Amino acid sequence: MNSNAKALSGLSYLSIFFLPFFLPIIIFFGSKDVETKRHAKRAFISHLLTIVLSVFSVVIMLFTFLNILDNTLSLTLIIFMFISFILCIIVTAAIFIWNIVQAVKVIR
């Protein structure tokens, strides 16, 4: 892999900080290098996973808060909300770390 392909591959992983989801797509369709396309696809999937987890967490929180307004909130729902929120934070942090590690590996 040449230095430009390495830079684009690393940039697709690091784009989680500034243009997640969009930059890997641009790199995937704009690059001719097969290895760069593979890294852009992997970065896109990891960025998409963080977006899906965030939406899932927001939906659970909204559902819980709507139940609070109706006074039909149960302790089980509160526990489920906190567990899902904490799991979402842990998985999202792991994905961020994985993206940074992959970018460093590719750039080396």
Side-chain angles (χ1 to χ4, degrees):
M1 221 160 58
N2 63 26
S3 62
N4 287 338
K6 284 183 179 183
L8 283 175
S9 297
L11 188 62
S12 66
Y13 287 112
L14 292 177
S15 69
I16 199 161
F17 293 111
F18 54 91
L19 271 178
F21 187 73
F22 295 111
L23 190 60
I25 291 173
I26 293 169
I27 291 173
F28 181 81
F29 288 114
S31 176
K32 294 179 182 174
D33 184 41
V34 175
E35 196 67 21
T36 303
K37 284 182 177 269
R38 185 178 72 84
H39 286 292
K41 184 170 50 172
R42 290 176 70 196
F44 171 76
I45 292 170
S46 70
H47 298 177
L48 186 64
L49 187 58
T50 59
I51 291 169
V52 168
L53 284 173
S54 298
V55 168
F56 176 73
S57 181
V58 167
V59 167
I60 288 176
M61 286 182 166
L62 285 174
F63 181 72
T64 303
F65 291 133
L66 288 175
N67 280 329
I68 288 173
L69 295 175
D70 287 344
N71 294 326
T72 59
L73 187 65
S74 68
L75 182 60
T76 308
L77 189 60
I78 293 174
I79 292 171
F80 178 71
M81 182 192 74
F82 281 119
I83 290 174
S84 65
F85 183 68
I86 299 230
L87 285 175
C88 181
I89 289 174
I90 290 170
V91 171
T92 302
I95 291 171
F96 269 85
I97 292 168
W98 181 83
N99 275 289
I100 294 168
V101 169
Q102 292 301 313
V104 170
K105 281 183 180 180
V106 167
I107 293 172
R108 282 188 172 189

